Amino acid sequence: MNDASNLGLTTNMIDNRESKYKVLLIEDDFAHEALILRSFEAHKQYQLTSRHTLADARKELTQFLPDLIITDFRLPDGNGINLIEQFFQNKSCPIIVMTSFGDESVAVKAMKAGASDYIVKSDQTLIELPGIANRVLREWQLVLDNKISLEQQSRLTAIMEATPDLISIADIDGFLTYLNEAGRRMLGISMDENINKIRLADFHAEEDALLIISEGIPYAIEHGMWKSHSTFISKSNERILTSLVLITHKSEQGNIDFFSTVAKDIRSLHSAEETIKYLAYYDTLTGLANRNELLKQLEHEIDRVQRNKSHSALLYIDLDNFKYINDSLGHPTGDLVLKKIAQRLQSKTRGEDILARLGGDEFVVILTELSHDSLEALNQARKVTKKLNKSIARDVFVENMTFNVTASIGISMFSAGTDNSHELLRFADTAMYEAKKAGKNQFEVFHKDMSVQIHRQLALEYKLRKAYSNKEFVLYFQPKNDAMTGQICGAEVLLRWNDPENGIMAPGHFLDVLESSGLIMDVGDWVFKASLKQLANWIAKGIWKSHQRLSINISTRQFQDEHFSSSVIRLIEKAGVPAQCVDIEITEYSLINDVKKSVSKMQELITKGVTFSLDDFGTGYSSLSYLKNLPVATVKIDRSFIQDITKDKSDEALVTSIITISKNLGLTVVAEGVETKEQLQILKQYQCEYVQGYYFSKPIPALEFERLLCE
């Protein structure tokens, strides 16, 4: 696959890819081959070529390079290890290995050799191969992205050199360490002149230099950025009015590393008054109206529909997964994509319509002068929105790279009787989020039921804030038991809300609101502190043993906080508990965005003695490659697989495979949701070490759990 053309790979892109992915299937069992080919028939983005021996496969590989290889491990003329090692060494494409039931140890060898994933062959798993292929290709893309991100460093430098604006970097003393070509031209500094003894302040008009020193630098140090107008005086005494941004760059420890400056020559604008007006009402990146101008234009449109008894529509547009582009390639590249999208929106709207950029990747379109008939006006708005969705979803070509960007759009209709511009924006924003929930790359029209849902959510958020203030949250504990002996080897901390109206409530009733409101940070911090306090109490009483571990769930937002590791270490030391007694449960989703940074955070805590458990394994990305690369000590098999383990052979095969693979990789396994003796017997048969569930105990308050510890 071409590295650049696959940036931004998503499941939606896989399903709608114009050129097909070439897949080489190596399988000598004709029945299995036929089943696999049938399973891929409905997935038109794949083009399969099948071979029955390693020799034939190698011949085929001399003719074309596949995007994915799916191979049986045992073949008539050998096994796939050599083929895997050959491709892993060249990093040519991902490989999925198929093994027979009972060959898990062989699968481990394949994974260590470089296979991207493996499956135990059954009718069900072979039917599910297209979905596995989608995931493997997404994960392969993450590997490619690391390579591409290095290549982008030189491209970003090229972008800075090509921009018409002055861009500079200065050390903490103000001396330049970098000045782009446009900046040298603006100030009259030759390309071969050493800039290391030059301060940018030397080229400012005296009054501007004083303002930057007395106000700009202190403000930028405190707030990160300072914006103003400033006049430069070049070596030829030319006065250049600029729009200037001064940015402070700090280290993780909060120390100032360097300053950067971006200055745009704005002399071409007719006057300083026009410049100020432009900056106040228009987006400098896209040239579209900004939020201030949008609100002013929206008020005018509300007045117009009142007078004319007509209809208009407000479209709230949010780009899907745009953060991926900014995070992986940087904001300069993201800005170029945003400019392309803005141009497309302009090309698909009428001159009388109003188009604005709210900021980030959010745009708004006001469709004016729609039909006087409400139903016809709605149909017109839907027609335009479909056209915008289709236009945005076309490939975007920037800097020799290809991006696929989609958008979720919310529609809010308005007519006579509407008098609140902020409410209109909120309605359209709500409909946009409904479109995202429905799968993205589509639109939703706001209706009153959505408003009811908003009010319900706001009411629950208010109650939760009050619950936090009133200390209504409590901790429950569910034991983890040794599967063979039944003895307690630890416990998981579980959050409960003691609601004065409804009694004890599980997180399923309120966790999503905690997340969306940001309360999860405060509540999560309380859970950690309260858990450690309870642990310290049990240790002091002598009822908590050194081999037992207390598992505390951490939300994605908590884990992604840059101070997470240092904060946890500080809390453990303050509580005075051994770090070896603390286990942190985290989901795969928390780790997927930046595996390298996640591993660094985890290692910092592991060196102190803290362990990590991978929670709900099997329900997320569930790639065994994570088990190889992440420093987790424990895998928790999700309860959904344990529930039917006694009657569903596929679930049994999956659970036993996870146990075997995990143990071969040196990991401990905990099975969640064990409720019956029959389930326990199967888990013991396959040597699952630990279990958790109602068979031993439901989650219980601290005092009740304490009695279990004393038994």
Side-chain angles (χ1 to χ4, degrees):
M1 292 184 287
N2 180 284
D3 289 358
S5 68
N6 285 282
L7 289 169
L9 187 68
T10 64
T11 303
N12 184 59
M13 287 177 62
I14 289 175
D15 291 338
N16 294 285
R17 193 173 189 261
E18 291 183 7
S19 59
K20 296 187 176 183
Y21 287 102
K22 296 177 289 186
V23 179
L24 177 60
L25 172 64
I26 311 170
E27 172 59 78
D28 63 320
D29 186 315
F30 294 104
H32 286 165
E33 177 191 26
L35 182 56
I36 293 169
L37 293 175
R38 284 200 304 274
S39 70
F40 275 91
E41 285 179 354
H43 300 267
K44 303 301 183 184
Q45 70 273 24
Y46 291 103
Q47 176 183 328
L48 268 70
T49 300
S50 63
R51 292 293 179 267
H52 305 117
T53 65
L54 283 174
D56 288 343
R58 287 196 172 95
K59 287 180 183 177
E60 188 67 29
L61 289 171
T62 62
Q63 304 299 317
F64 82 106
L65 180 64
D67 297 309
L68 174 67
I69 295 175
I70 302 173
T71 178
D72 194 353
F73 190 82
R74 300 184 185 278
L75 292 160
D77 53 344
N79 62 52
I81 281 288
N82 293 335
L83 186 67
I84 295 169
E85 289 176 342
Q86 171 192 339
F87 269 74
F88 184 71
Q89 187 176 25
N90 298 332
K91 298 190 182 298
S92 304
C93 72
I95 300 177
I96 298 173
V97 176
M98 302 182 293
T99 70
S100 299
F101 185 71
D103 277 351
E104 288 84 354
S105 60
V106 174
V108 171
K109 294 179 182 177
M111 297 295 289
K112 289 181 177 178
S116 297
D117 212 337
Y118 95 102
I119 65 165
V120 178
K121 289 201 291 186
S122 68
D123 288 353
Q124 183 61 34
T125 56
L126 295 182
I127 291 172
E128 293 171 352
L129 257 178
I132 296 170
N134 283 353
R135 174 171 51 73
V136 166
L137 284 170
R138 286 198 303 272
E139 292 165 1
W140 186 256
Q141 186 61 39
L142 292 175
V143 176
L144 294 180
D145 287 347
N146 289 331
K147 175 184 175 183
I148 294 169
S149 64
L150 296 175
E151 297 172 354
Q152 297 313 311
Q153 299 301 317
S154 60
R155 292 184 181 178
L156 291 176
T157 301
I159 291 172
M160 289 193 293
E161 286 298 314
T163 185
D165 302 331
L166 177 152
I167 299 177
S168 72
I169 298 173
D171 62 23
I172 57 175
D173 296 318
F175 290 103
L176 293 176
T177 59
Y178 171 79
L179 181 64
N180 69 342
E181 183 178 350
R184 287 175 179 267
R185 285 199 307 269
M186 181 186 290
L187 303 179
I189 300 173
S190 64
M191 295 302 295
D192 57 356
E193 186 173 348
N194 187 351
I195 62 171
N196 297 135
K197 299 299 181 182
I198 297 175
R199 287 187 174 98
L200 204 59
D202 298 338
F203 292 87
H204 282 295
E206 184 177 355
E207 63 274 20
D208 287 349
L210 290 173
L211 180 66
I212 291 171
I213 293 170
S214 63
E215 180 180 327
I217 294 176
Y219 189 93
I221 290 173
E222 182 178 355
H223 300 283
M225 179 187 296
W226 180 73
K227 299 179 180 180
S228 184
H229 293 159
S230 181
T231 300
F232 285 92
I233 301 177
S234 71
K235 283 189 173 184
S236 61
N237 284 324
E238 183 181 13
R239 298 179 68 87
I240 306 154
L241 177 64
T242 68
S243 168
L244 180 143
V245 179
L246 175 63
I247 305 168
T248 304
H249 301 267
K250 296 183 179 180
S251 67
E252 290 185 359
Q253 291 73 35
N255 301 319
I256 299 172
D257 277 349
F258 60 94
F259 298 97
S260 65
T261 302
V262 180
K264 183 180 184 65
D265 186 343
I266 56 174
R267 290 174 297 171
S268 59
L269 298 175
H270 296 304
S271 66
E273 183 179 344
E274 287 184 4
T275 302
I276 294 169
K277 180 180 178 181
Y278 180 83
L279 294 173
Y281 293 103
Y282 291 90
D283 174 50
T284 55
L285 175 66
T286 62
L288 302 179
N290 63 13
R291 180 182 287 271
N292 292 333
E293 179 67 9
L294 170 70
L295 291 173
K296 184 175 73 173
Q297 294 287 348
L298 184 54
E299 292 291 348
H300 290 163
E301 185 60 16
I302 289 173
D303 290 340
R304 193 192 67 77
V305 297
Q306 295 277 22
R307 292 192 308 271
N308 299 343
K309 309 298 181 187
S310 58
H311 293 83
S312 292
L314 188 147
L315 313 183
Y316 199 115
I317 303 169
D318 185 271
L319 303 184
D320 299 325
N321 301 319
F322 182 77
K323 184 176 181 292
Y324 172 86
I325 297 175
N326 272 343
D327 289 350
S328 59
L329 299 177
H331 289 275
T333 302
D335 286 349
L336 294 175
V337 174
L338 288 173
K339 290 176 73 172
K340 291 275 189 179
I341 297 299
Q343 291 165 5
R344 289 185 182 180
L345 292 174
Q346 286 178 306
S347 70
K348 298 298 180 184
T349 50
R350 305 165 301 172
E352 59 266 31
D353 295 329
I354 300 162
L355 178 58
R357 180 187 176 214
L358 289 187
D361 58 351
E362 296 176 323
F363 298 86
V364 167
V365 177
I366 302 174
L367 302 178
T368 66
E369 299 182 17
L370 299 179
S371 172
H372 282 70
D373 179 79
S374 60
L375 184 58
E376 177 59 26
L378 176 59
N379 287 335
Q380 289 173 335
R382 284 174 168 163
K383 185 176 180 181
V384 173
T385 305
K386 287 180 181 178
K387 186 167 60 174
L388 294 177
N389 264 134
K390 187 175 180 180
S391 178
I392 293 171
R394 298 199 326 266
D395 283 347
V396 179
F397 302 98
V398 170
E399 296 291 322
N400 296 320
M401 293 178 286
T402 305
F403 301 91
N404 181 262
V405 182
T406 60
S408 299
I409 304 178
I411 304 174
S412 180
M413 304 298 298
F414 62 101
S415 57
T418 302
D419 59 2
N420 191 319
S421 57
H422 292 283
E423 191 173 66
L424 269 177
L425 279 168
R426 182 164 61 86
F427 287 165
D429 185 35
T430 300
M432 180 272 293
Y433 275 107
E434 290 299 316
K436 281 194 182 294
K437 289 179 185 177
K440 303 180 181 179
N441 192 26
Q442 50 191 296
F443 65 88
E444 290 284 349
V445 179
F446 177 82
H447 54 78
K448 290 184 178 179
D449 288 346
M450 292 182 185
S451 183
V452 171
Q453 182 62 30
I454 291 173
H455 289 303
R456 285 176 182 167
Q457 181 149 335
L458 290 174
L460 179 55
E461 182 179 330
Y462 171 77
K463 287 187 66 177
L464 288 170
R465 292 188 184 279
K466 190 175 178 182
Y468 177 70
S469 300
N470 294 344
K471 300 181 179 179
E472 294 172 7
F473 291 110
V474 294
L475 299 183
Y476 273 45
F477 301 83
Q478 187 173 36
K480 295 180 183 178
N481 300 82
D482 187 297
M484 297 301 174
T485 66
Q487 291 182 339
I488 295 176
C489 59
E492 179 182 358
V493 182
L494 298 163
L495 178 65
R496 295 292 186 267
W497 174 21
N498 189 7
D499 182 10
E501 296 178 10
N502 302 302
I504 298 295
M505 297 178 66
H509 296 285
F510 58 85
L511 189 60
D512 58 333
V513 178
L514 282 182
E515 290 276 6
S516 63
S517 66
L519 267 172
I520 192 67
M521 296 297 289
D522 291 329
V523 175
D525 186 57
W526 174 84
V527 168
F528 211 97
K529 290 177 181 176
S531 300
L532 295 178
K533 183 178 179 181
Q534 183 63 69
L535 179 59
N537 177 267
W538 287 333
I539 292 173
K541 290 181 177 180
I543 59 177
W544 189 272
K545 310 304 179 186
S546 60
H547 69 277
Q548 295 173 324
R549 287 185 179 269
L550 187 64
S551 297
I552 307 170
N553 287 280
I554 294 298
S555 71
T556 300
R557 291 185 66 171
Q558 285 177 275
F559 183 75
Q560 291 177 350
D561 184 89
E562 59 180 324
H563 304 298
F564 171 74
S565 300
S566 58
S567 175
V568 168
I569 293 170
R570 186 174 65 253
L571 291 175
I572 290 174
E573 291 174 347
K574 185 176 180 180
V577 301
Q580 290 77 10
C581 290
V582 178
D583 178 69
I584 292 176
E585 291 197 8
I586 195 163
T587 62
E588 295 165 271
Y589 179 76
S590 302
L591 310 172
I592 183 66
N593 286 331
D594 193 333
V595 175
K596 186 177 180 181
K597 186 178 289 186
S598 297
V599 169
S600 176
K601 287 183 180 180
M602 295 167 75
Q603 290 289 8
E604 188 176 348
L605 289 168
I606 289 169
T607 57
K608 298 292 184 179
V610 176
T611 57
F612 282 84
S613 295
L614 195 59
D615 198 13
D616 299 336
F617 189 79
T619 62
Y621 296 90
S622 305
S623 169
L624 290 168
S625 61
Y626 288 119
L627 299 186
K628 291 193 302 179
N629 299 326
L630 292 174
V632 295
T634 302
V635 172
K636 298 191 74 177
I637 305 176
D638 187 67
R639 66 184 66 250
S640 61
F641 299 108
I642 305 301
Q643 182 179 352
D644 295 327
I645 194 174
T646 58
K647 52 188 176 182
D648 188 320
K649 290 298 181 183
S650 295
D651 278 352
E652 181 180 352
L654 177 61
V655 169
T656 54
S657 294
I658 292 174
I659 293 171
T660 304
I661 293 292
S662 298
K663 289 172 75 68
N664 274 290
L665 292 173
L667 304 176
T668 300
V669 180
V670 177
E672 296 182 291
V674 178
E675 299 181 354
T676 68
K677 184 177 181 180
E678 291 75 19
Q679 292 170 343
L680 179 62
Q681 290 301 323
I682 290 178
L683 292 167
K684 289 168 67 174
Q685 177 186 343
Y686 290 104
Q687 298 183 330
C688 178
E689 295 141 301
Y690 302 107
V691 295
Q692 181 180 341
Y694 278 35
Y695 181 74
F696 288 98
S697 173
K698 64 181 181 180
I700 52 179
L703 285 177
E704 290 185 38
F705 183 74
E706 189 171 314
R707 285 195 284 271
L708 289 181
L709 288 174
C710 295
E711 289 180 357

